[in-house]
């Protein structure tokens, strides 16, 4: 397995491109890595600064590269992409993590989100969706591709009403329900605190209680839970911008 020094196929001027996102690619298939380098590198706001064929190589290189976004598969010989996500979370907490994989089952999605993934895209997506996913996670939001959202939502909705998830909903207080709704709508702890007239620390406590009661681990999981249990709703519309703070739409899920 090899790592490659990456270079874009075009080098825009600073005035043209502005600050460029430093991107690292991790995939065990050399041909796919090369294709992704070409695909991503033509965009003026992206700079592919590394491409690696396995988890160990990525972890060795990431300390020196400090990328803005790591795009990784989940399955590798040796340590998995799930382990990579968790290690990046520890070594470089400011680095955003986007999963690009062929695995669309809910178990892989939930495992990736729990390990710290900020986005999840399938390899059969088109280039426009991938570019949107990169920009969305880089802007501090979370991104789930349309197919994954549909799959996970369907599985949640198919659960029996007597499941632990349904029982957990009954234990949520009215104020926690308000906080849950605000998180699902993409609002930050500070904005929720202003809306409800309490301190951000109080919101953080409610958020922690929600995650403990519902066994959820991040804002994307909270959002899915809120939508599928009728606590809030989201229309499956295309995202119209990754940098602004849009209402929840298909693909983009604002980090709490």
């Amino acid at each position: 397995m090899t790592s490659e020094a990456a270079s874009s196929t075009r080098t825009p001027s600073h005035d043209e491109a502005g600050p460029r996102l430093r991107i690292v690619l991790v995939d065990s298939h050399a041909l796919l890595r090369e294709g992704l380098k070409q695909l991503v590198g033509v965009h003026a706001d992206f700079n592919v600064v590394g491409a690696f064929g396995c988890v160990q190589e990525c972890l060795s290189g990431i300390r020196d590269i400090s990328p803005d976004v790591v795009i990784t598969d989940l399955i590798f010989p040796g340590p998995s992409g799930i382990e990579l996500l968790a290690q990046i979370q520890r070594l470089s907490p400011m680095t955003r993590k986007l999963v690009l994989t062929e695995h669309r089952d809910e178990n892989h999605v939930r495992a990736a989100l729990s390990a710290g993934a900020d986005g999840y895209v399938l390899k059969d997506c088109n280039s426009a969706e991938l570019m949107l996913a990169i920009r969305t996670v880089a802007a501090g939001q979370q991104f789930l591709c349309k197919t994954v959202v549909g799959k996970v939502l369907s599985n949640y909705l198919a659960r029996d009403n007597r499941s632990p998830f349904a029982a957990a909903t009954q234990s949520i207080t009215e104020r926690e329900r308000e906080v849950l709704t605000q998180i699902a709508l993409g609002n930050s702890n500070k904005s929720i605190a202003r809306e409800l007239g309490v301190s951000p620390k109080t919101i953080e406590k409610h958020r922690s209680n929600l995650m403990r009661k519902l066994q959820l681990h991040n804002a994307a999981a909270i959002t899915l839970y809120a939508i599928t249990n009728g606590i809030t709703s989201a229309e499956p519309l295309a995202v119209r911008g990754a940098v602004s703070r849009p209402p929840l739409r298909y693909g983009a899920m604002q980090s709490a």
Side-chain angles (χ1 to χ4, degrees), residues 137-149:
V137 300
Q141 299 173 304
Q142 292 179 309
F143 188 100
L144 298 181
C145 69
K146 184 176 181 180
T147 302
V148 168
V149 170

Side-chain angles (χ1 to χ4, degrees), residues 76-249:
F76 296 92
S80 71
I82 298 297
E83 294 176 73
L84 175 61
L85 293 170
Q87 287 296 319
I88 293 174
Q89 186 79 3
R90 181 179 64 85
L91 295 172
S92 183
M94 298 303 293
T95 296
R96 306 289 287 176
K97 301 165 288 296
L98 176 64
V99 171
L100 178 63
T101 185
E102 63 184 10
H103 299 284
R104 63 188 65 215
D105 60 283
E106 185 182 357
N107 288 337
H108 279 95
V109 176
R110 290 173 66 86
L113 293 175
S114 296
D118 301 296
Y120 199 105
V121 180
L122 298 177
K123 286 184 176 179
D124 60 4
C125 73
N126 58 42
S127 61
E129 185 171 34
L130 178 58
M131 299 309 116
L132 176 59
I134 297 171
R135 294 187 176 100
T136 298
V137 300
Q141 299 173 304
Q142 292 179 309
F143 188 100
L144 298 181
C145 69
K146 184 176 181 180
T147 302
V148 168
V149 170
K151 179 76 172 179
V152 176
L153 289 180
S154 296
N155 288 346
Y156 269 120
L157 291 170
R159 288 192 173 105
D160 191 280
N161 288 332
R162 294 168 295 178
S163 71
F165 288 88
T169 302
Q170 303 303 315
S171 71
I172 298 174
T173 66
E174 188 59 35
R175 179 46 61 94
E176 288 170 347
R177 187 179 294 267
E178 291 176 330
V179 172
L180 176 60
T181 299
Q182 292 294 322
I183 293 173
L185 291 173
N187 296 322
S188 68
N189 286 352
K190 288 184 179 179
S191 64
I192 297 172
R194 287 194 300 268
E195 177 72 20
L196 300 182
V198 297
S199 71
K201 286 187 177 180
T202 298
I203 299 303
E204 181 60 36
K205 182 177 180 181
H206 286 311
R207 186 171 181 269
S208 297
N209 288 339
L210 283 167
M211 293 178 128
R212 174 179 53 79
K213 289 179 179 180
L214 302 177
Q215 301 177 40
L216 304 174
H217 303 286
N218 53 39
I222 289 175
T223 299
L224 289 173
Y225 182 89
I227 294 170
T228 56
N229 286 276
I231 296 172
T232 187
S233 61
E235 296 180 359
L237 303 176
V239 177
R240 288 181 284 202
V243 177
S244 62
R245 291 177 54 83
L248 175 67
R249 300 183 177 93

